[in-house]
Every structure is written in structure tokens, then in C-alpha cells.
Amino acid sequence: MANMDISLKEMMGIDGALGAAVVDYNSGMSLGVLGGSKDLDLQIAGAGNTEVVKAKLRTMDSLGLKDAIEDILITLSGQYHIIRPITGRGGKGLFLYLALDRGRANLAMARHHLRTIEDKLEI
């Protein structure tokens, strides 16, 4: 099992990673962040993306879907943003957030690595 700091470092080791965070979508607070820049404030991005997660969960509930979100992908002209709710022990209400440079990232590999990181993460 990996702790949050190790998991954030592993997320930043994914090709094209610009920033990584573990976020509580109930409060919008980031529990840990690594990377980012003046153009990518991970605290603001984490808080804003809590609304994305909440909206999707409400929609699934309204539709009566009895399924779980694996991840949510937001594609920008120059970046990919991946939101992955944590499903393991103690992770309820948390998600991994990874911003990638679209020109350097392999989206399929990034999603695969993020799944592996989530599986090892111990909160």
C-alpha cells in the first residue's frame, strides 16, 4: 500500500503530467497536491472539479443507474484532465485528479497508471 505522497509522486511520473491532487469532493478541499503552475492552480482546479463529480453522481442517481464512475475525462485543446473517484478502503468521497499535457501524454497509458495508483493508495 502506498501513502498519499508516494501516490502523488507516482502520478507526476506519468508521461505528460502537469499536476496531481487528491481531493475531497464533499468539501472541495485538496488533501494533497503536487505540480501545477501559475496557470494551473490545483487547489482551484480540485475545488471546481468537485462540482463535476457531484453533478455526475446526481445525474446517475436521477437516471437510476446502479453503477460506479471509473473516471471522468475533460479534454481541453492542450490538456487532458482525469478525475478518478477512489473506491478503496477509506477513499469514499475522494478522487484523484491528474492534469496532463495533451501533446506529451498517452491517454490510455495514463488511465491505466492512474488505476494502478488508486489500487495501491491507502488513505
Side-chain angles (χ1 to χ4, degrees):
M1 294 295 154
N3 70 23
M4 191 177 331
D5 291 335
I6 292 169
S7 295
L8 288 168
K9 287 177 185 171
E10 288 178 352
M11 289 169 67
M12 287 303 293
I14 295 172
D15 287 342
L18 300 171
V22 177
V23 182
D24 178 338
Y25 65 76
N26 293 307
S27 68
M29 298 293 296
S30 293
L31 305 178
V33 297
L34 193 59
S37 67
K38 66 178 180 63
D39 296 323
L40 179 61
D41 184 321
L42 293 170
Q43 299 288 342
I44 293 172
N49 281 302
T50 62
E51 297 305 316
V52 173
V53 173
K54 288 178 182 179
K56 186 59 190 171
L57 290 171
R58 279 192 307 270
T59 302
M60 289 172 61
D61 186 52
S62 294
L63 293 170
L65 297 176
K66 304 295 183 213
D67 211 342
I69 300 170
E70 184 173 334
D71 61 35
I72 299 169
L73 172 65
I74 300 170
T75 305
L76 306 176
S77 60
Q79 297 176 0
Y80 294 121
H81 291 219
I82 303 172
I83 300 165
R84 183 174 182 88
I86 299 173
T87 58
R89 300 161 300 281
K92 186 160 177 62
L94 304 178
F95 65 86
L96 299 178
Y97 174 69
L98 178 64
L100 300 162
D101 179 316
R102 191 170 167 179
R104 295 186 307 125
N106 177 319
L107 184 56
M109 289 303 296
R111 291 180 69 221
H112 172 74
H113 288 304
L114 202 55
R115 182 180 327 112
T116 301
I117 292 166
E118 185 224 341
D119 288 344
K120 295 187 303 185
L121 179 62
E122 185 173 281
I123 302 293

